[in-house]
Amino acid sequence: MLLGVIADDFTGATDIASFLVENGLSTVQLNGVPQEKVQVEAQAVVISLKSRSCEPSQAIEQSLQALAWLQHQGCRQFYFKYCSTFDSTAQGNIGPVTDALLAALGENQTVISPALPVNGRTVYQGYLFVFEQLLSESGMRHHPVTPMTDSNLLRLMEAQAQGRCGLVTAAEMDRGAEAVTEKLQLLAQQGVRYAVLDTLNERHLLTQGKALKNMKLVTGGSGLAIGLARQWAQPGHGSPQSAGAPQGEKAVVLSGSCSVMSNQQVARYRQQAPAMAIDVARCLTEPARAAYVTELAHWVQQQANTPLAPLLYATAEPEKLQQVQQQYGMAAASQAVESLFAGVVKQLRQHGFSRFIVAGGETSGVVTQALGIRGFHIGPCISPGVPWVRAIEQPVSLALKSGNFGDENFFARAQTEFPL
Ligand code: ADP
């Protein structure tokens, strides 16, 4: 195992895991730090935490546990992954977690590289941009939990960490990996603990990969993973995606997302495959819900021989959703739908279903939990940011799509483009 990644949230973990696989490393993503023994075979492991906006002390504790686990697996390099918009508050958690990881590893320098040029996140003179806007002038200034009102990464980092922050400029990046290494050494001699890396394009990320291969701890968004994975990748080791390729005969599509794209995807798929809408009124209380779960699972099984997998959907247009929420309460309604999906998934698994195509971020979490999945191999991409994944400990494949991901034909394509 070469690279161990500690990601501060679930979607960020999936994001970096896809980049690692695409750039040549077989990768497993784990949901949280494994408490019991798990067998993981991959070149990179990404542990997803929920440490972006919790108390700093909790974020540190979780991150150190993840580090200890990754060290135990023999990882040679460690990567603290946060959002490409440096989502944090004045208290953290990027600074405190970085300090704790440096101390635990006995290191005195790391880099700050949130850039992801392909998504418009670039860094120039230490300032972070979202496309043509400064971070503090982008929508991120109104973020409900981590509003970003400064764009200067050196200031942001120094405000929440213990040490000093320096800069490797775009001009130095242009001069190549050796120039970057020299600058990092110079900064280290001056006692600078964190080096912000200017990044304008993918070439700069590749330079960073070369310059940082021997740095014990790096920190950044998912872009830096492109450069590092290419350094670590060993050609001739087979396809890094193969361990995550979809498997299994019986498939089902479950949509619990009400996003615009999910509504379009459901509307399209209903014309292609058997589909059943979920009646929220029948999910609200037990024992009615249990009976409904069995009825729906039975319906899905009856459709198992159709060319495209059957669809169960709670997906609704905004007016319909609002009406349901007003009638039953928002929390009660979504809780009811989530419990229903959890129940249906468990029954289908018992009846041999092994491919689950799921729409909705929360809904994906519920399905993964109901199946008892602690981690998965990342497979080939269905749409940008949405790979097929295969559970590490059971023969189950999942396509987990949050909100607006994927195109209109996503549900069918997840099946037809990946024939068994
Ligand atoms: P997204 O990724 O689009 O945000 P999520 O699964 O994260 O999707 O969130 C959607 C939430 O809405 C879930 O909690 C789900 O149970 C709930 N939900 C879905 N359909 C309905 C519905 N018809 N009525 C009420 N709540 C619903």
Side-chain angles (χ1 to χ4, degrees), residues 55-73:
E55 280 295 307
S57 59
Q58 277 174 17
I60 289 172
E61 193 186 320
Q62 286 181 28
S63 306
L64 289 177
Q65 280 173 6
L67 176 69
W69 192 87
L70 293 166
Q71 281 179 301
H72 191 67
Q73 303 298 308

Side-chain angles (χ1 to χ4, degrees), residues 255-260 262 278 280 313-316 320-321 324-325 329-330 332-339 341 359-364 366 401-404:
S255 182
S257 160
C258 295
S259 71
V260 174
S262 298
I278 285 163
V280 180
Y313 64 99
T315 303
K320 173 92 188 299
L321 177 65
V324 169
Q325 289 177 333
M330 187 160 88
S334 69
Q335 176 73 49
V337 171
E338 289 177 12
S339 304
F341 276 127
E362 288 299 318
T363 310
S364 294
V366 165
K401 178 204 87 80
S402 61
N404 283 317

Side-chain angles (χ1 to χ4, degrees), residues 110-129:
T110 188
V111 291
I112 308 290
S113 182
L116 186 57
V118 64
N119 276 1
R121 275 61 162 166
T122 55
V123 179
Y124 184 61
Q125 302 296 357
Y127 285 81
L128 180 55
F129 288 81

Side-chain angles (χ1 to χ4, degrees), residues 194-340:
Y194 331 102
V196 169
L197 305 182
D198 269 1
T199 314
L200 302 182
N201 48 49
E202 187 160 310
R203 199 164 35 79
H204 286 164
L205 294 174
L206 300 183
T207 301
Q208 291 172 25
K210 270 193 205 144
L212 301 174
K213 192 175 175 191
N214 294 318
M215 187 175 260
K216 215 48 211 162
L217 174 72
V218 297
T219 87
S222 50
L224 175 57
I226 299 172
L228 281 174
R230 298 233 190 135
Q231 287 303 309
W232 284 116
Q234 296 153 333
H237 263 235
S239 157
Q241 282 116 349
S242 60
Q247 258 190 337
E249 286 277 302
K250 292 187 180 177
V252 63
V253 183
L254 305 166
S255 182
S257 160
C258 295
S259 71
V260 174
M261 182 45 82
S262 298
N263 268 291
Q264 288 172 11
Q265 287 161 339
V266 166
R268 174 78 175 268
Y269 195 70
R270 279 173 48 192
Q271 298 165 357
Q272 301 167 304
M276 173 81 85
I278 285 163
D279 179 356
V280 180
R282 296 185 63 193
C283 317
L284 290 166
T285 50
E286 295 289 10
R289 182 165 62 225
Y292 193 33
V293 162
T294 303
E295 185 182 315
L296 291 173
H298 185 67
W299 176 82
V300 171
Q301 286 174 68
Q302 284 178 323
Q303 320 300 318
N305 293 323
T306 50
L308 286 174
L311 161 71
L312 283 182
Y313 64 99
T315 303
E317 297 283 352
E319 312 81 66
K320 173 92 188 299
L321 177 65
Q322 207 182 1
Q323 188 196 331
V324 169
Q325 289 177 333
Q326 272 172 2
Q327 194 170 353
Y328 307 115
M330 187 160 88
S334 69
Q335 176 73 49
V337 171
E338 289 177 12
S339 304
L340 180 94

